[in-house]
Short mmCIF file of all heavy atoms in Angstrom, two decimals:
data_model
loop_
_atom_site.label_atom_id
_atom_site.label_comp_id
_atom_site.label_asym_id
_atom_site.label_seq_id
_atom_site.Cartn_x
_atom_site.Cartn_y
_atom_site.Cartn_z
N LEU A 253 -1.01 -14.28 6.98
CA LEU A 253 -2.27 -14.08 7.30
C LEU A 253 -2.95 -15.24 7.87
O LEU A 253 -3.08 -16.27 7.26
CB LEU A 253 -3.15 -13.66 5.96
CG LEU A 253 -4.53 -13.52 6.09
CD1 LEU A 253 -5.01 -12.22 7.00
CD2 LEU A 253 -5.31 -13.54 4.87
N ASN A 255 -6.64 -16.53 9.07
CA ASN A 255 -8.10 -16.10 8.98
C ASN A 255 -9.00 -17.31 9.15
O ASN A 255 -9.76 -17.80 8.28
CB ASN A 255 -8.24 -15.47 7.67
CG ASN A 255 -9.77 -14.99 7.39
OD1 ASN A 255 -10.15 -14.87 6.36
ND2 ASN A 255 -10.47 -14.68 8.46
N GLN A 538 -6.27 -12.32 -5.37
CA GLN A 538 -5.93 -11.25 -4.55
C GLN A 538 -4.43 -11.09 -4.40
O GLN A 538 -3.87 -9.91 -4.42
CB GLN A 538 -6.51 -11.39 -3.15
CG GLN A 538 -8.16 -11.06 -3.20
CD GLN A 538 -8.85 -11.28 -1.85
OE1 GLN A 538 -9.84 -10.79 -1.67
NE2 GLN A 538 -8.18 -11.93 -0.97
N ALA A 557 -0.40 -3.56 6.42
CA ALA A 557 -1.49 -2.61 6.34
C ALA A 557 -2.31 -3.07 4.99
O ALA A 557 -3.52 -3.20 5.05
CB ALA A 557 -1.01 -1.20 6.22
N ASN A 558 -1.74 -3.27 3.92
CA ASN A 558 -2.37 -3.61 2.75
C ASN A 558 -2.86 -5.10 2.73
O ASN A 558 -3.85 -5.32 2.21
CB ASN A 558 -1.69 -3.21 1.40
CG ASN A 558 -0.39 -3.90 1.22
OD1 ASN A 558 -0.26 -5.25 1.40
ND2 ASN A 558 0.57 -3.25 0.57
N LEU A 559 -2.22 -5.82 3.57
CA LEU A 559 -2.68 -7.27 3.73
C LEU A 559 -4.08 -7.34 4.36
O LEU A 559 -4.97 -8.03 4.08
CB LEU A 559 -1.69 -8.09 4.48
CG LEU A 559 -2.13 -9.58 4.78
CD1 LEU A 559 -2.47 -10.32 3.52
CD2 LEU A 559 -0.91 -10.30 5.47
N TRP A 560 -4.14 -6.41 5.43
CA TRP A 560 -5.41 -6.20 6.17
C TRP A 560 -6.51 -5.66 5.17
O TRP A 560 -7.68 -6.19 5.23
CB TRP A 560 -5.17 -5.24 7.26
CG TRP A 560 -6.20 -5.34 8.32
CD1 TRP A 560 -7.36 -4.55 8.56
CD2 TRP A 560 -6.23 -6.12 9.50
NE1 TRP A 560 -8.01 -4.79 9.63
CE2 TRP A 560 -7.34 -5.89 10.23
CE3 TRP A 560 -5.47 -7.28 9.88
CZ2 TRP A 560 -7.72 -6.50 11.44
CZ3 TRP A 560 -5.92 -7.89 11.02
CH2 TRP A 560 -6.95 -7.55 11.84
N THR A 561 -6.13 -4.75 4.41
CA THR A 561 -7.05 -4.21 3.47
C THR A 561 -7.54 -5.14 2.45
O THR A 561 -8.69 -5.15 2.09
CB THR A 561 -6.40 -2.94 2.76
OG1 THR A 561 -6.07 -1.87 3.74
CG2 THR A 561 -7.38 -2.30 1.77
N VAL A 562 -6.70 -5.90 1.91
CA VAL A 562 -7.00 -6.97 0.89
C VAL A 562 -7.97 -8.03 1.61
O VAL A 562 -8.97 -8.37 1.03
CB VAL A 562 -5.79 -7.59 0.26
CG1 VAL A 562 -6.05 -8.87 -0.39
CG2 VAL A 562 -5.03 -6.60 -0.59
N THR A 563 -7.60 -8.38 2.86
CA THR A 563 -8.33 -9.48 3.41
C THR A 563 -9.80 -8.94 3.67
O THR A 563 -10.82 -9.76 3.52
CB THR A 563 -7.68 -9.90 4.74
OG1 THR A 563 -6.42 -10.36 4.55
CG2 THR A 563 -8.52 -10.97 5.43
N LEU A 564 -9.91 -7.74 4.04
CA LEU A 564 -11.20 -7.22 4.47
C LEU A 564 -11.85 -6.30 3.34
O LEU A 564 -12.78 -5.45 3.45
CB LEU A 564 -11.21 -6.38 5.76
CG LEU A 564 -10.85 -7.23 6.98
CD1 LEU A 564 -10.75 -6.28 8.24
CD2 LEU A 564 -11.65 -8.35 7.18
N GLY A 565 -11.34 -6.53 2.11
CA GLY A 565 -11.83 -5.90 0.92
C GLY A 565 -13.23 -6.31 0.56
O GLY A 565 -14.04 -5.60 -0.10
N ASN A 566 -13.72 -7.40 1.09
CA ASN A 566 -15.08 -7.88 1.02
C ASN A 566 -15.59 -8.08 -0.45
O ASN A 566 -16.72 -7.78 -0.71
CB ASN A 566 -15.95 -7.06 1.79
CG ASN A 566 -15.77 -7.20 3.30
OD1 ASN A 566 -15.47 -8.34 3.77
ND2 ASN A 566 -16.01 -6.17 4.11
N ARG A 567 -14.65 -8.42 -1.30
CA ARG A 567 -15.09 -8.77 -2.58
C ARG A 567 -16.01 -9.88 -2.75
O ARG A 567 -15.76 -10.95 -2.06
CB ARG A 567 -13.91 -8.80 -3.66
CG ARG A 567 -13.02 -7.67 -3.75
CD ARG A 567 -11.64 -7.98 -4.50
NE ARG A 567 -11.86 -8.61 -5.77
CZ ARG A 567 -10.82 -9.02 -6.45
NH1 ARG A 567 -9.58 -8.93 -6.09
NH2 ARG A 567 -11.01 -9.63 -7.61
N ARG A 611 -19.48 -6.05 -3.49
CA ARG A 611 -18.91 -6.30 -2.30
C ARG A 611 -19.95 -6.62 -1.20
O ARG A 611 -21.04 -6.46 -1.39
CB ARG A 611 -17.99 -5.03 -1.83
CG ARG A 611 -16.82 -4.70 -2.94
CD ARG A 611 -15.97 -3.63 -2.40
NE ARG A 611 -15.03 -3.39 -3.36
CZ ARG A 611 -13.74 -3.88 -3.48
NH1 ARG A 611 -13.41 -4.78 -2.57
NH2 ARG A 611 -12.90 -3.55 -4.39
N VAL A 612 -19.38 -6.98 -0.01
CA VAL A 612 -20.25 -7.20 1.04
C VAL A 612 -19.65 -6.44 2.21
O VAL A 612 -19.47 -6.89 3.36
CB VAL A 612 -20.25 -8.80 1.49
CG1 VAL A 612 -21.15 -9.54 0.62
CG2 VAL A 612 -18.75 -9.33 1.52
N ASP A 613 -19.64 -5.10 1.94
CA ASP A 613 -19.32 -4.00 2.95
C ASP A 613 -20.49 -3.62 3.63
O ASP A 613 -21.70 -3.98 3.21
CB ASP A 613 -18.62 -2.89 2.30
CG ASP A 613 -17.15 -3.20 2.04
OD1 ASP A 613 -16.47 -3.88 2.66
OD2 ASP A 613 -16.67 -2.60 0.93
N LEU A 614 -20.36 -2.92 4.81
CA LEU A 614 -21.56 -2.39 5.50
C LEU A 614 -22.43 -1.57 4.66
O LEU A 614 -23.62 -1.56 4.78
CB LEU A 614 -21.13 -1.67 6.62
CG LEU A 614 -20.37 -2.41 7.70
CD1 LEU A 614 -20.10 -1.55 9.04
CD2 LEU A 614 -21.14 -3.70 8.24
N HIS A 692 -19.78 -6.95 8.51
CA HIS A 692 -19.56 -7.18 7.04
C HIS A 692 -19.17 -8.52 6.71
O HIS A 692 -18.91 -9.42 7.59
CB HIS A 692 -18.49 -6.19 6.53
CG HIS A 692 -17.31 -6.16 7.45
ND1 HIS A 692 -16.23 -7.02 7.32
CD2 HIS A 692 -16.98 -5.25 8.51
CE1 HIS A 692 -15.29 -6.70 8.19
NE2 HIS A 692 -15.75 -5.57 8.91
N GLY A 693 -18.99 -8.94 5.47
CA GLY A 693 -18.68 -10.33 5.11
C GLY A 693 -19.84 -11.07 4.57
O GLY A 693 -20.91 -10.48 4.45
N PHE A 701 -14.19 -13.96 0.37
CA PHE A 701 -13.06 -14.44 1.07
C PHE A 701 -13.39 -14.26 2.59
O PHE A 701 -13.01 -15.20 3.39
CB PHE A 701 -11.89 -13.62 0.68
CG PHE A 701 -10.51 -14.07 1.06
CD1 PHE A 701 -10.01 -15.21 0.48
CD2 PHE A 701 -9.83 -13.34 1.98
CE1 PHE A 701 -8.77 -15.70 0.91
CE2 PHE A 701 -8.51 -13.86 2.33
CZ PHE A 701 -7.98 -14.97 1.80
N ASN A 702 -13.76 -13.09 3.05
CA ASN A 702 -14.08 -12.79 4.35
C ASN A 702 -15.50 -13.37 4.80
O ASN A 702 -16.44 -12.67 4.68
CB ASN A 702 -13.99 -11.34 4.60
CG ASN A 702 -14.35 -10.82 6.02
OD1 ASN A 702 -14.03 -11.56 6.99
ND2 ASN A 702 -14.96 -9.65 6.12
N MET A 703 -15.45 -14.59 5.19
CA MET A 703 -16.55 -15.39 5.36
C MET A 703 -17.40 -15.00 6.61
O MET A 703 -16.80 -14.93 7.73
CB MET A 703 -16.17 -16.88 5.49
CG MET A 703 -17.41 -17.82 5.10
SD MET A 703 -16.85 -19.46 4.74
CE MET A 703 -16.68 -20.13 6.38
N THR A 704 -18.65 -14.91 6.44
CA THR A 704 -19.66 -14.72 7.57
C THR A 704 -20.93 -15.42 7.22
O THR A 704 -21.51 -15.24 6.23
CB THR A 704 -20.04 -13.18 7.56
OG1 THR A 704 -18.92 -12.37 7.88
CG2 THR A 704 -21.04 -12.95 8.77
N THR A 721 -15.12 -15.50 10.00
CA THR A 721 -13.84 -14.89 10.40
C THR A 721 -13.98 -14.65 11.89
O THR A 721 -14.84 -14.07 12.45
CB THR A 721 -13.81 -13.51 9.71
OG1 THR A 721 -13.45 -13.78 8.30
CG2 THR A 721 -12.50 -12.80 10.29
N LEU A 724 -8.29 -13.05 13.57
CA LEU A 724 -7.62 -12.49 12.33
C LEU A 724 -6.20 -11.90 12.71
O LEU A 724 -6.16 -11.03 13.57
CB LEU A 724 -8.57 -11.45 11.79
CG LEU A 724 -8.24 -10.77 10.38
CD1 LEU A 724 -8.17 -11.94 9.27
CD2 LEU A 724 -9.31 -9.75 9.97
N ARG A 737 -1.08 -6.66 12.85
CA ARG A 737 -2.43 -6.36 13.24
C ARG A 737 -3.08 -7.71 13.62
O ARG A 737 -2.83 -8.72 13.06
CB ARG A 737 -3.18 -5.71 12.29
CG ARG A 737 -2.56 -4.42 11.69
CD ARG A 737 -3.41 -3.81 10.56
NE ARG A 737 -2.87 -2.42 10.14
CZ ARG A 737 -3.44 -1.58 9.18
NH1 ARG A 737 -4.57 -1.92 8.71
NH2 ARG A 737 -2.82 -0.44 8.94
N ILE A 739 -7.08 -9.32 15.61
CA ILE A 739 -8.41 -9.04 16.35
C ILE A 739 -9.14 -10.37 16.59
O ILE A 739 -8.79 -11.27 15.87
CB ILE A 739 -9.11 -8.02 15.49
CG1 ILE A 739 -10.30 -7.44 16.26
CG2 ILE A 739 -9.70 -8.81 14.13
CD1 ILE A 739 -11.11 -6.35 15.49
N THR A 741 -12.90 -11.35 16.52
CA THR A 741 -14.00 -10.68 15.95
C THR A 741 -15.14 -10.70 16.94
O THR A 741 -15.89 -9.69 17.01
CB THR A 741 -14.40 -11.27 14.69
OG1 THR A 741 -14.76 -12.70 14.87
CG2 THR A 741 -13.32 -11.20 13.63
N LEU A 759 -14.73 -2.98 16.93
CA LEU A 759 -13.49 -2.62 16.18
C LEU A 759 -13.53 -3.35 14.80
O LEU A 759 -13.23 -2.73 13.73
CB LEU A 759 -12.29 -3.13 16.95
CG LEU A 759 -10.94 -2.58 16.42
CD1 LEU A 759 -10.85 -1.12 16.75
CD2 LEU A 759 -9.87 -3.25 17.31
N TYR A 760 -13.90 -4.56 14.84
CA TYR A 760 -14.04 -5.37 13.66
C TYR A 760 -15.07 -4.76 12.75
O TYR A 760 -14.87 -4.81 11.41
CB TYR A 760 -14.38 -6.82 13.92
CG TYR A 760 -14.50 -7.75 12.74
CD1 TYR A 760 -13.52 -8.02 11.81
CD2 TYR A 760 -15.86 -8.13 12.36
CE1 TYR A 760 -13.72 -8.79 10.69
CE2 TYR A 760 -16.10 -9.03 11.30
CZ TYR A 760 -14.99 -9.34 10.42
OH TYR A 760 -15.23 -10.12 9.26
N SER A 761 -16.21 -4.37 13.16
CA SER A 761 -17.24 -3.80 12.36
C SER A 761 -16.77 -2.66 11.62
O SER A 761 -17.07 -2.48 10.39
CB SER A 761 -18.34 -3.18 13.33
OG SER A 761 -19.44 -2.54 12.60
N GLY A 762 -15.77 -1.84 12.12
CA GLY A 762 -15.21 -0.68 11.33
C GLY A 762 -13.86 -1.03 10.67
O GLY A 762 -13.16 -0.21 10.22
N LYS A 763 -13.60 -2.44 10.59
CA LYS A 763 -12.35 -2.93 9.88
C LYS A 763 -11.13 -2.39 10.57
O LYS A 763 -10.12 -2.27 10.02
CB LYS A 763 -12.26 -2.56 8.45
CG LYS A 763 -13.46 -3.15 7.56
CD LYS A 763 -13.21 -2.78 6.07
CE LYS A 763 -14.41 -3.41 5.21
NZ LYS A 763 -14.17 -3.19 3.84
N GLY A 764 -11.39 -2.18 11.93
CA GLY A 764 -10.19 -1.82 12.75
C GLY A 764 -9.34 -2.95 13.21
O GLY A 764 -9.56 -4.10 12.81
N TRP A 765 -8.28 -2.70 14.05
CA TRP A 765 -7.43 -3.72 14.50
C TRP A 765 -6.76 -3.41 15.79
O TRP A 765 -6.72 -2.23 16.31
CB TRP A 765 -6.23 -3.99 13.41
CG TRP A 765 -5.45 -2.77 13.28
CD1 TRP A 765 -4.21 -2.48 13.99
CD2 TRP A 765 -5.66 -1.78 12.30
NE1 TRP A 765 -3.81 -1.31 13.49
CE2 TRP A 765 -4.57 -0.86 12.45
CE3 TRP A 765 -6.69 -1.44 11.38
CZ2 TRP A 765 -4.46 0.30 11.68
CZ3 TRP A 765 -6.42 -0.27 10.59
CH2 TRP A 765 -5.46 0.53 10.74
#
Side-chain angles (χ1 to χ4, degrees):
L253 169 72
N255 182 205
Q538 288 178 161
N558 63 39
L559 178 55
W560 198 263
T561 299
V562 166
T563 302
L564 299 181
N566 287 330
R567 293 168 59 182
R611 297 183 184 270
V612 284
D613 282 327
L614 297 184
H692 45 85
F701 192 72
N702 179 28
M703 197 164 87
T704 300
T721 292
L724 186 60
R737 305 175 175 189
I739 197 170
T741 58
L759 193 65
Y760 174 68
S761 177
K763 299 187 181 180
W765 64 88

